Amino acid sequence: MHVITKTALILAGSALPAFAAVYSGPNPGDWNTAANWDTNAVPGTSTGTDAVISNGATVNYPGAALGDLNVNAGAALTVSGGSTLQTDQSNWSQINNGTFTLEGGIFRRTATGNLVGSQVAGTAGLPTTSVITATNSSLEIGAPATAANLILGFTNFTAATLNLQDSTVTIGGELWLGSNTVGDGNQTAVLNINNSSITTGGAVGLWVWDYTAEGNSLSINFSGPAGSFIDVANSIGLRAAGLPANNAATWESLWDVGVLTAQGQSGLTGGAFSSFFVTTGTNIRDTPTPVPYRLTYIPEPSGSLLTAFAGTLLMARRRRVPA
């Protein structure tokens, strides 16, 4: 069996976290087998040990034996090189003061239970942070029929970011930005989408919770080429602090309040929704078969690009030498 060593990975140009445990076991293999790691120890990502799966293997995380998959205390979990990290058990996956990076990899949950960025409360000036980044990768959360959620921010004083580049996200349940607990605040939840797609299930496919609460900043940001989209199976939920939830919000309403942005523009900046997006389907549940309510990104040239182009023409004219 060919074993990929840390030295080989570094020489190949792959950046490795310091003191990472690198999976060197069989395909498929088990996370909870010490001999499957080059450190001969099961990595404790919950206590700050970095872990890398990069040899193309499918690695099973046994939640019944290990509990939740936690990436805490500054740890970094990386799945790359065609590798897959999966679990078929309902224990949650939590990123608290850690990073989870997919680079040409797959993270797959086939049972109930959620993937949560920043579940544990922080404190004023010291929020619990998480960064999940997927590049040319796939996140499969309870898909296609199991009700599992993807949640960015779950309580007070948290900051959670999900970066998608050339990737797909499939969620059997719902996508949440912020906490559903009334009174929670000081949360930052950022979803950045570039040439990627998200598909959700659930009776309410997307929830944006208490976006006006003190210290909250919740955003879905589109950039890059046209074609990115979000499908919600039925409807969108939007709740302003202190007000009842609107379970039939629209993509346009998210734009109007500044939650949905494109190239730095939103309804709050005076941007026109139709310059960046089209929608299909409906935000009301269709029976007996729901029709996806789709938001598709179709950007026109941004004002900044047009300004730069005009500036280039002006400079060219100034440089002309009179005949």
Side-chain angles (χ1 to χ4, degrees):
M1 179 181 64
H2 178 65
V3 176
I4 299 179
T5 65
K6 291 182 183 178
T7 301
L9 285 169
I10 292 170
L11 290 176
S14 298
L16 268 179
F19 310 111
V22 177
Y23 182 84
S24 56
N27 181 17
D30 190 359
W31 178 290
N32 199 26
T33 300
N36 286 348
W37 299 91
D38 70 344
T39 55
N40 287 313
V42 176
T45 53
S46 63
T47 56
T49 299
D50 296 349
V52 175
I53 304 170
S54 56
N55 64 348
T58 295
V59 178
N60 183 64
Y61 182 89
L66 297 178
D68 289 359
L69 171 60
N70 293 326
V71 184
N72 300 343
L77 171 59
T78 302
V79 180
S80 62
S83 304
T84 299
L85 176 60
Q86 66 180 22
T87 182
D88 59 1
Q89 295 164 9
S90 60
N91 302 83
W92 288 26
S93 304
Q94 303 181 42
I95 317 298
N96 297 301
N97 292 323
T99 62
F100 181 20
T101 302
L102 295 165
E103 296 178 347
I106 298 171
F107 179 64
R108 177 181 296 132
R109 295 188 55 91
T110 59
T112 58
N114 304 320
L115 170 60
V116 184
S118 300
Q119 177 170 341
V120 176
T123 58
L126 192 63
T128 298
T129 64
S130 64
V131 178
I132 303 170
T133 300
T135 304
N136 191 29
S137 297
S138 177
L139 281 164
E140 302 170 12
I141 312 300
T146 304
N149 302 321
L150 172 56
I151 301 172
L152 300 178
F154 204 57
T155 186
N156 292 291
F157 295 106
T158 56
T161 301
L162 172 58
N163 300 310
L164 301 177
Q165 172 76 53
D166 305 316
S167 295
T168 60
V169 179
T170 308
I171 307 168
E174 300 171 344
L175 171 63
W176 288 13
L177 271 65
S179 166
N180 66 334
T181 301
V182 174
D184 280 355
N186 297 288
Q187 299 177 91
T188 300
V190 179
L191 172 54
N192 296 317
I193 303 172
N194 187 320
N195 199 36
S196 298
S197 66
I198 301 174
T199 301
T200 76
V204 180
L206 168 65
W207 273 108
V208 179
W209 298 105
D210 293 353
Y211 65 95
T212 60
E214 180 180 0
N216 277 8
S217 177
L218 313 178
S219 61
I220 302 171
N221 311 306
F222 282 81
S223 62
S228 294
F229 67 86
I230 302 178
D231 269 351
V232 293
N234 296 296
S235 60
I236 297 172
L238 178 65
R239 187 175 75 188
L243 297 177
N246 173 10
N247 292 1
T250 65
W251 292 114
E252 289 88 344
S253 64
L254 296 187
W255 176 263
D256 291 342
V257 299
V259 170
L260 177 63
T261 77
Q263 298 180 0
Q265 299 294 308
S266 74
L268 295 182
T269 66
F273 178 87
S274 59
S275 295
F276 298 98
F277 298 105
V278 295
T279 65
T280 55
T282 173
N283 62 323
I284 305 299
R285 175 188 285 268
D286 295 300
T287 57
T289 303
V291 175
Y293 183 34
R294 175 173 289 196
L295 175 77
T296 302
Y297 179 56
I298 51 154
E300 295 179 354
S302 69
S304 60
L305 289 176
L306 292 175
T307 300
F309 181 63
T312 300
L313 289 177
L314 180 61
M315 290 299 294
R317 287 176 181 173
R318 287 178 176 173
R319 288 172 183 161
R320 288 178 182 171
V321 177

